[in-house]
mmCIF file of all heavy atoms in Angstrom:
data_model
loop_
_atom_site.group_PDB
_atom_site.id
_atom_site.type_symbol
_atom_site.label_atom_id
_atom_site.label_comp_id
_atom_site.label_asym_id
_atom_site.label_seq_id
_atom_site.Cartn_x
_atom_site.Cartn_y
_atom_site.Cartn_z
ATOM 1 N N GLN A 200 0.863 -1.192 0.009
ATOM 2 C CA GLN A 200 -0.010 -0.005 0.001
ATOM 3 C C GLN A 200 0.879 1.241 0.004
ATOM 4 O O GLN A 200 1.940 1.267 0.623
ATOM 5 C CB GLN A 200 -0.893 -0.006 1.232
ATOM 6 C CG GLN A 200 -1.936 -1.104 1.201
ATOM 7 C CD GLN A 200 -2.841 -0.980 2.424
ATOM 8 O OE1 GLN A 200 -2.563 -0.242 3.344
ATOM 9 N NE2 GLN A 200 -3.919 -1.746 2.379
ATOM 10 N N PRO A 201 0.435 2.287 -0.690
ATOM 11 C CA PRO A 201 1.251 3.516 -0.714
ATOM 12 C C PRO A 201 1.256 4.150 0.699
ATOM 13 O O PRO A 201 0.305 3.987 1.455
ATOM 14 C CB PRO A 201 0.549 4.419 -1.732
ATOM 15 C CG PRO A 201 -0.835 3.904 -1.816
ATOM 16 C CD PRO A 201 -0.760 2.424 -1.484
ATOM 17 N N PRO A 202 2.300 4.840 1.017
ATOM 18 C CA PRO A 202 2.376 5.461 2.347
ATOM 19 C C PRO A 202 1.307 6.566 2.492
ATOM 20 O O PRO A 202 0.923 7.189 1.510
ATOM 21 C CB PRO A 202 3.796 6.058 2.406
ATOM 22 C CG PRO A 202 4.237 6.186 1.007
ATOM 23 C CD PRO A 202 3.500 5.113 0.225
ATOM 24 N N ASP A 203 0.855 6.755 3.705
ATOM 25 C CA ASP A 203 -0.152 7.775 3.995
ATOM 26 C C ASP A 203 0.505 9.154 3.905
ATOM 27 O O ASP A 203 1.450 9.456 4.603
ATOM 28 C CB ASP A 203 -0.705 7.530 5.404
ATOM 29 C CG ASP A 203 -1.977 8.345 5.635
ATOM 30 O OD1 ASP A 203 -2.489 8.932 4.671
ATOM 31 O OD2 ASP A 203 -2.434 8.381 6.792
ATOM 32 N N ARG A 204 -0.019 9.977 3.029
ATOM 33 C CA ARG A 204 0.580 11.292 2.768
ATOM 34 C C ARG A 204 -0.216 12.445 3.392
ATOM 35 O O ARG A 204 -0.108 13.572 2.983
ATOM 36 C CB ARG A 204 0.704 11.542 1.284
ATOM 37 C CG ARG A 204 1.538 10.512 0.588
ATOM 38 C CD ARG A 204 2.725 11.185 -0.042
ATOM 39 N NE ARG A 204 3.500 10.216 -0.777
ATOM 40 C CZ ARG A 204 4.764 10.056 -0.581
ATOM 41 N NH1 ARG A 204 5.396 10.773 0.295
ATOM 42 N NH2 ARG A 204 5.426 9.184 -1.260
ATOM 43 N N ARG A 205 -1.056 12.146 4.381
ATOM 44 C CA ARG A 205 -1.817 13.228 5.056
ATOM 45 C C ARG A 205 -0.861 14.105 5.834
ATOM 46 O O ARG A 205 0.127 13.631 6.413
ATOM 47 C CB ARG A 205 -2.846 12.637 6.017
ATOM 48 C CG ARG A 205 -4.035 12.039 5.298
ATOM 49 C CD ARG A 205 -5.017 11.539 6.278
ATOM 50 N NE ARG A 205 -4.448 10.324 6.900
ATOM 51 C CZ ARG A 205 -4.776 9.869 8.086
ATOM 52 N NH1 ARG A 205 -5.672 10.474 8.816
ATOM 53 N NH2 ARG A 205 -4.208 8.798 8.574
ATOM 54 N N LEU A 206 -1.165 15.400 5.844
ATOM 55 C CA LEU A 206 -0.351 16.325 6.600
ATOM 56 C C LEU A 206 -0.729 16.264 8.065
ATOM 57 O O LEU A 206 -1.885 16.396 8.418
ATOM 58 C CB LEU A 206 -0.527 17.751 6.099
ATOM 59 C CG LEU A 206 0.121 18.082 4.769
ATOM 60 C CD1 LEU A 206 -0.194 19.520 4.385
ATOM 61 C CD2 LEU A 206 1.612 17.892 4.860
ATOM 62 N N ASP A 207 0.242 16.046 8.886
ATOM 63 C CA ASP A 207 0.017 16.021 10.307
ATOM 64 C C ASP A 207 1.114 16.854 10.944
ATOM 65 O O ASP A 207 2.292 16.727 10.593
ATOM 66 C CB ASP A 207 0.075 14.563 10.829
ATOM 67 C CG ASP A 207 -0.304 14.456 12.275
ATOM 68 O OD1 ASP A 207 -0.867 15.436 12.804
ATOM 69 O OD2 ASP A 207 -0.053 13.390 12.879
ATOM 70 N N PHE A 208 0.724 17.734 11.873
ATOM 71 C CA PHE A 208 1.724 18.630 12.461
ATOM 72 C C PHE A 208 2.814 17.872 13.224
ATOM 73 O O PHE A 208 3.917 18.377 13.383
ATOM 74 C CB PHE A 208 1.038 19.614 13.416
ATOM 75 C CG PHE A 208 0.246 20.667 12.681
ATOM 76 C CD1 PHE A 208 -1.119 20.701 12.814
ATOM 77 C CD2 PHE A 208 0.873 21.564 11.851
ATOM 78 C CE1 PHE A 208 -1.845 21.649 12.130
ATOM 79 C CE2 PHE A 208 0.149 22.536 11.176
ATOM 80 C CZ PHE A 208 -1.219 22.556 11.302
ATOM 81 N N HIS A 209 2.529 16.702 13.654
ATOM 82 C CA HIS A 209 3.524 15.951 14.419
ATOM 83 C C HIS A 209 4.516 15.258 13.509
ATOM 84 O O HIS A 209 5.563 14.784 13.955
ATOM 85 C CB HIS A 209 2.846 14.923 15.336
ATOM 86 C CG HIS A 209 1.990 15.594 16.380
ATOM 87 N ND1 HIS A 209 2.529 16.315 17.417
ATOM 88 C CD2 HIS A 209 0.645 15.694 16.501
ATOM 89 C CE1 HIS A 209 1.554 16.798 18.159
ATOM 90 N NE2 HIS A 209 0.404 16.437 17.620
ATOM 91 N N THR A 210 4.210 15.100 12.204
ATOM 92 C CA THR A 210 5.129 14.424 11.298
ATOM 93 C C THR A 210 6.047 15.399 10.584
ATOM 94 O O THR A 210 7.079 15.019 10.085
ATOM 95 C CB THR A 210 4.355 13.621 10.260
ATOM 96 O OG1 THR A 210 3.531 14.498 9.514
ATOM 97 C CG2 THR A 210 3.536 12.537 10.925
ATOM 98 N N ILE A 211 5.676 16.684 10.509
ATOM 99 C CA ILE A 211 6.512 17.669 9.844
ATOM 100 C C ILE A 211 7.528 18.167 10.860
ATOM 101 O O ILE A 211 7.138 18.631 11.940
ATOM 102 C CB ILE A 211 5.663 18.841 9.313
ATOM 103 C CG1 ILE A 211 4.655 18.306 8.305
ATOM 104 C CG2 ILE A 211 6.555 19.882 8.650
ATOM 105 C CD1 ILE A 211 3.649 19.325 7.849
ATOM 106 N N PRO A 212 8.831 18.068 10.544
ATOM 107 C CA PRO A 212 9.825 18.484 11.532
ATOM 108 C C PRO A 212 9.714 19.975 11.820
ATOM 109 O O PRO A 212 9.530 20.786 10.948
ATOM 110 C CB PRO A 212 11.165 18.163 10.848
ATOM 111 C CG PRO A 212 10.850 17.411 9.624
ATOM 112 C CD PRO A 212 9.411 17.560 9.335
ATOM 113 N N GLY A 213 9.852 20.319 13.116
ATOM 114 C CA GLY A 213 9.855 21.711 13.533
ATOM 115 C C GLY A 213 8.484 22.336 13.699
ATOM 116 O O GLY A 213 8.359 23.507 13.967
ATOM 117 N N THR A 214 7.409 21.540 13.550
ATOM 118 C CA THR A 214 6.060 22.087 13.687
ATOM 119 C C THR A 214 5.278 21.360 14.778
ATOM 120 O O THR A 214 4.092 21.195 14.671
ATOM 121 C CB THR A 214 5.294 21.996 12.375
ATOM 122 O OG1 THR A 214 5.226 20.631 11.975
ATOM 123 C CG2 THR A 214 5.935 22.847 11.297
ATOM 124 N N ALA A 215 5.963 20.885 15.775
ATOM 125 C CA ALA A 215 5.269 20.205 16.864
ATOM 126 C C ALA A 215 4.321 21.172 17.563
ATOM 127 O O ALA A 215 4.550 22.362 17.646
ATOM 128 C CB ALA A 215 6.283 19.652 17.871
ATOM 129 N N LYS A 216 3.231 20.645 18.064
ATOM 130 C CA LYS A 216 2.199 21.466 18.705
ATOM 131 C C LYS A 216 2.710 21.982 20.058
ATOM 132 O O LYS A 216 3.214 21.213 20.879
ATOM 133 C CB LYS A 216 0.948 20.614 18.927
ATOM 134 C CG LYS A 216 -0.227 21.389 19.384
ATOM 135 C CD LYS A 216 -1.457 20.502 19.432
ATOM 136 C CE LYS A 216 -2.623 21.260 19.982
ATOM 137 N NZ LYS A 216 -3.782 20.395 20.120
ATOM 138 N N LEU A 217 2.601 23.286 20.271
ATOM 139 C CA LEU A 217 3.046 23.892 21.529
ATOM 140 C C LEU A 217 1.947 23.778 22.548
ATOM 141 O O LEU A 217 0.780 23.888 22.266
ATOM 142 C CB LEU A 217 3.362 25.366 21.322
ATOM 143 C CG LEU A 217 4.604 25.716 20.530
ATOM 144 C CD1 LEU A 217 4.686 27.223 20.317
ATOM 145 C CD2 LEU A 217 5.839 25.237 21.268
ATOM 146 N N PRO A 218 2.330 23.601 23.835
ATOM 147 C CA PRO A 218 1.320 23.628 24.892
ATOM 148 C C PRO A 218 0.729 25.028 25.023
ATOM 149 O O PRO A 218 1.394 26.026 24.722
ATOM 150 C CB PRO A 218 2.083 23.217 26.142
ATOM 151 C CG PRO A 218 3.444 22.860 25.726
ATOM 152 C CD PRO A 218 3.635 23.266 24.316
ATOM 153 N N TRP A 219 -0.495 25.116 25.524
ATOM 154 C CA TRP A 219 -1.168 26.418 25.634
ATOM 155 C C TRP A 219 -0.465 27.355 26.571
ATOM 156 O O TRP A 219 -0.482 28.570 26.378
ATOM 157 C CB TRP A 219 -2.618 26.237 26.073
ATOM 158 C CG TRP A 219 -2.753 25.743 27.487
ATOM 159 C CD1 TRP A 219 -2.801 24.459 27.908
ATOM 160 C CD2 TRP A 219 -2.806 26.546 28.650
ATOM 161 N NE1 TRP A 219 -2.895 24.406 29.247
ATOM 162 C CE2 TRP A 219 -2.889 25.676 29.762
ATOM 163 C CE3 TRP A 219 -2.771 27.918 28.912
ATOM 164 C CZ2 TRP A 219 -2.949 26.140 31.056
ATOM 165 C CZ3 TRP A 219 -2.826 28.378 30.211
ATOM 166 C CH2 TRP A 219 -2.936 27.485 31.268
ATOM 167 N N TRP A 220 0.206 26.850 27.589
ATOM 168 C CA TRP A 220 0.854 27.717 28.571
ATOM 169 C C TRP A 220 2.125 28.360 28.013
ATOM 170 O O TRP A 220 2.661 29.268 28.619
ATOM 171 C CB TRP A 220 1.100 26.978 29.892
ATOM 172 C CG TRP A 220 1.870 25.697 29.736
ATOM 173 C CD1 TRP A 220 1.364 24.471 29.494
ATOM 174 C CD2 TRP A 220 3.272 25.539 29.819
ATOM 175 N NE1 TRP A 220 2.355 23.534 29.415
ATOM 176 C CE2 TRP A 220 3.548 24.166 29.627
ATOM 177 C CE3 TRP A 220 4.327 26.380 30.049
ATOM 178 C CZ2 TRP A 220 4.833 23.663 29.626
ATOM 179 C CZ3 TRP A 220 5.617 25.884 30.070
ATOM 180 C CH2 TRP A 220 5.845 24.520 29.864
ATOM 181 N N ILE A 221 2.614 27.862 26.870
ATOM 182 C CA ILE A 221 3.732 28.521 26.196
ATOM 183 C C ILE A 221 3.178 29.404 25.061
ATOM 184 O O ILE A 221 3.665 30.494 24.831
ATOM 185 C CB ILE A 221 4.721 27.483 25.639
ATOM 186 C CG1 ILE A 221 5.413 26.767 26.788
ATOM 187 C CG2 ILE A 221 5.751 28.149 24.747
ATOM 188 C CD1 ILE A 221 6.337 25.663 26.355
ATOM 189 N N PHE A 222 2.172 28.903 24.346
ATOM 190 C CA PHE A 222 1.628 29.583 23.191
ATOM 191 C C PHE A 222 0.953 30.893 23.590
ATOM 192 O O PHE A 222 1.182 31.915 22.938
ATOM 193 C CB PHE A 222 0.628 28.688 22.470
ATOM 194 C CG PHE A 222 -0.055 29.334 21.318
ATOM 195 C CD1 PHE A 222 0.622 29.552 20.116
ATOM 196 C CD2 PHE A 222 -1.372 29.770 21.410
ATOM 197 C CE1 PHE A 222 0.006 30.154 19.067
ATOM 198 C CE2 PHE A 222 -1.981 30.384 20.352
ATOM 199 C CZ PHE A 222 -1.303 30.565 19.168
ATOM 200 N N LEU A 223 0.129 30.901 24.628
ATOM 201 C CA LEU A 223 -0.650 32.083 24.998
ATOM 202 C C LEU A 223 0.238 33.254 25.426
ATOM 203 O O LEU A 223 0.090 34.351 24.895
ATOM 204 C CB LEU A 223 -1.641 31.727 26.095
ATOM 205 C CG LEU A 223 -2.677 32.781 26.394
ATOM 206 C CD1 LEU A 223 -3.525 33.094 25.183
ATOM 207 C CD2 LEU A 223 -3.565 32.345 27.533
ATOM 208 N N PRO A 224 1.218 33.085 26.335
ATOM 209 C CA PRO A 224 2.083 34.211 26.655
ATOM 210 C C PRO A 224 2.926 34.670 25.476
ATOM 211 O O PRO A 224 3.203 35.866 25.320
ATOM 212 C CB PRO A 224 2.978 33.701 27.793
ATOM 213 C CG PRO A 224 2.279 32.531 28.347
ATOM 214 C CD PRO A 224 1.464 31.954 27.239
ATOM 215 N N GLY A 225 3.327 33.727 24.624
ATOM 216 C CA GLY A 225 4.080 34.100 23.415
ATOM 217 C C GLY A 225 3.250 34.973 22.486
ATOM 218 O O GLY A 225 3.736 35.933 21.935
ATOM 219 N N LEU A 226 1.973 34.598 22.331
ATOM 220 C CA LEU A 226 1.065 35.391 21.499
ATOM 221 C C LEU A 226 0.848 36.782 22.079
ATOM 222 O O LEU A 226 0.883 37.775 21.343
ATOM 223 C CB LEU A 226 -0.288 34.654 21.364
ATOM 224 C CG LEU A 226 -1.326 35.296 20.469
ATOM 225 C CD1 LEU A 226 -0.858 35.281 19.027
ATOM 226 C CD2 LEU A 226 -2.645 34.587 20.603
ATOM 227 N N VAL A 227 0.678 36.874 23.384
ATOM 228 C CA VAL A 227 0.511 38.177 24.047
ATOM 229 C C VAL A 227 1.779 39.021 23.848
ATOM 230 O O VAL A 227 1.704 40.216 23.584
ATOM 231 C CB VAL A 227 0.154 37.988 25.529
ATOM 232 C CG1 VAL A 227 0.237 39.308 26.291
ATOM 233 C CG2 VAL A 227 -1.219 37.385 25.671
ATOM 234 N N LEU A 228 2.928 38.403 23.970
ATOM 235 C CA LEU A 228 4.180 39.107 23.804
ATOM 236 C C LEU A 228 4.338 39.639 22.373
ATOM 237 O O LEU A 228 4.753 40.775 22.162
ATOM 238 C CB LEU A 228 5.368 38.187 24.169
ATOM 239 C CG LEU A 228 6.748 38.842 24.084
ATOM 240 C CD1 LEU A 228 6.904 39.925 25.131
ATOM 241 C CD2 LEU A 228 7.818 37.759 24.258
ATOM 242 N N ILE A 229 3.995 38.816 21.416
ATOM 243 C CA ILE A 229 4.092 39.246 20.024
ATOM 244 C C ILE A 229 3.154 40.407 19.741
ATOM 245 O O ILE A 229 3.531 41.384 19.078
ATOM 246 C CB ILE A 229 3.791 38.033 19.067
ATOM 247 C CG1 ILE A 229 4.942 37.038 19.115
ATOM 248 C CG2 ILE A 229 3.563 38.527 17.651
ATOM 249 C CD1 ILE A 229 4.656 35.741 18.417
ATOM 250 N N ILE A 230 1.914 40.337 20.244
ATOM 251 C CA ILE A 230 0.966 41.438 20.047
ATOM 252 C C ILE A 230 1.450 42.719 20.705
ATOM 253 O O ILE A 230 1.357 43.809 20.144
ATOM 254 C CB ILE A 230 -0.437 41.032 20.551
ATOM 255 C CG1 ILE A 230 -1.008 39.950 19.635
ATOM 256 C CG2 ILE A 230 -1.366 42.240 20.630
ATOM 257 C CD1 ILE A 230 -2.303 39.331 20.149
ATOM 258 N N ALA A 231 2.031 42.614 21.904
ATOM 259 C CA ALA A 231 2.564 43.790 22.599
ATOM 260 C C ALA A 231 3.722 44.423 21.824
ATOM 261 O O ALA A 231 3.814 45.635 21.675
ATOM 262 C CB ALA A 231 3.008 43.434 24.021
ATOM 263 N N ILE A 232 4.607 43.590 21.307
ATOM 264 C CA ILE A 232 5.729 44.087 20.514
ATOM 265 C C ILE A 232 5.227 44.794 19.256
ATOM 266 O O ILE A 232 5.728 45.857 18.894
ATOM 267 C CB ILE A 232 6.712 42.938 20.170
ATOM 268 C CG1 ILE A 232 7.457 42.491 21.443
ATOM 269 C CG2 ILE A 232 7.712 43.360 19.097
ATOM 270 C CD1 ILE A 232 8.287 41.256 21.269
ATOM 271 N N LEU A 233 4.265 44.206 18.586
ATOM 272 C CA LEU A 233 3.731 44.834 17.395
ATOM 273 C C LEU A 233 3.030 46.141 17.720
ATOM 274 O O LEU A 233 3.099 47.094 16.943
ATOM 275 C CB LEU A 233 2.751 43.868 16.686
ATOM 276 C CG LEU A 233 3.381 42.685 15.951
ATOM 277 C CD1 LEU A 233 2.306 41.743 15.432
ATOM 278 C CD2 LEU A 233 4.314 43.156 14.859
ATOM 279 N N TYR A 234 2.367 46.207 18.866
ATOM 280 C CA TYR A 234 1.692 47.458 19.278
ATOM 281 C C TYR A 234 2.711 48.565 19.492
ATOM 282 O O TYR A 234 2.522 49.692 19.046
ATOM 283 C CB TYR A 234 0.870 47.219 20.511
ATOM 284 C CG TYR A 234 0.223 48.460 21.065
ATOM 285 C CD1 TYR A 234 -0.895 49.019 20.440
ATOM 286 C CD2 TYR A 234 0.723 49.108 22.180
ATOM 287 C CE1 TYR A 234 -1.502 50.164 20.907
ATOM 288 C CE2 TYR A 234 0.145 50.275 22.656
ATOM 289 C CZ TYR A 234 -0.953 50.773 22.013
ATOM 290 O OH TYR A 234 -1.531 51.944 22.496
ATOM 291 N N TRP A 235 3.800 48.240 20.198
ATOM 292 C CA TRP A 235 4.798 49.276 20.483
ATOM 293 C C TRP A 235 5.655 49.605 19.261
ATOM 294 O O TRP A 235 6.209 50.704 19.162
ATOM 295 C CB TRP A 235 5.680 48.831 21.638
ATOM 296 C CG TRP A 235 4.990 48.945 22.964
ATOM 297 C CD1 TRP A 235 4.246 49.999 23.410
ATOM 298 C CD2 TRP A 235 4.949 47.987 23.979
ATOM 299 N NE1 TRP A 235 3.748 49.734 24.650
ATOM 300 C CE2 TRP A 235 4.183 48.478 25.054
ATOM 301 C CE3 TRP A 235 5.508 46.731 24.135
ATOM 302 C CZ2 TRP A 235 3.946 47.801 26.204
ATOM 303 C CZ3 TRP A 235 5.266 46.028 25.295
ATOM 304 C CH2 TRP A 235 4.499 46.563 26.320
ATOM 305 N N ALA A 236 5.756 48.694 18.324
ATOM 306 C CA ALA A 236 6.601 48.929 17.134
ATOM 307 C C ALA A 236 5.798 49.530 15.978
ATOM 308 O O ALA A 236 6.359 49.710 14.909
ATOM 309 C CB ALA A 236 7.251 47.625 16.709
ATOM 310 N N GLN A 237 4.543 49.842 16.193
ATOM 311 C CA GLN A 237 3.741 50.338 15.069
ATOM 312 C C GLN A 237 4.236 51.675 14.540
ATOM 313 O O GLN A 237 4.036 51.967 13.369
ATOM 314 C CB GLN A 237 2.276 50.417 15.449
ATOM 315 C CG GLN A 237 1.891 51.501 16.401
ATOM 316 C CD GLN A 237 0.430 51.470 16.745
ATOM 317 O OE1 GLN A 237 -0.318 50.674 16.183
ATOM 318 N NE2 GLN A 237 0.002 52.314 17.663
ATOM 319 N N ALA A 238 4.899 52.471 15.360
ATOM 320 C CA ALA A 238 5.441 53.744 14.895
ATOM 321 C C ALA A 238 6.509 53.535 13.854
ATOM 322 O O ALA A 238 6.708 54.385 12.983
ATOM 323 C CB ALA A 238 5.999 54.532 16.072
ATOM 324 N N VAL A 239 7.159 52.409 13.864
ATOM 325 C CA VAL A 239 8.175 52.086 12.872
ATOM 326 C C VAL A 239 7.595 51.223 11.764
ATOM 327 O O VAL A 239 7.890 51.420 10.585
ATOM 328 C CB VAL A 239 9.376 51.379 13.520
ATOM 329 C CG1 VAL A 239 10.364 50.895 12.509
ATOM 330 C CG2 VAL A 239 10.024 52.246 14.561
ATOM 331 N N LEU A 240 6.748 50.285 12.118
ATOM 332 C CA LEU A 240 6.249 49.318 11.144
ATOM 333 C C LEU A 240 5.255 49.924 10.136
ATOM 334 O O LEU A 240 5.215 49.491 8.983
ATOM 335 C CB LEU A 240 5.599 48.146 11.861
ATOM 336 C CG LEU A 240 6.552 47.282 12.683
ATOM 337 C CD1 LEU A 240 5.782 46.164 13.377
ATOM 338 C CD2 LEU A 240 7.626 46.673 11.807
#
């Protein structure tokens, strides 16, 4: 049988799913940086 070619985040290297307790503060940090950098961006 041909190999299963479905895309799964766990099979693509470097795209493992982050836990929420790391993702949420990272998202807040990114939004804060973009807010403060808007004068330049």
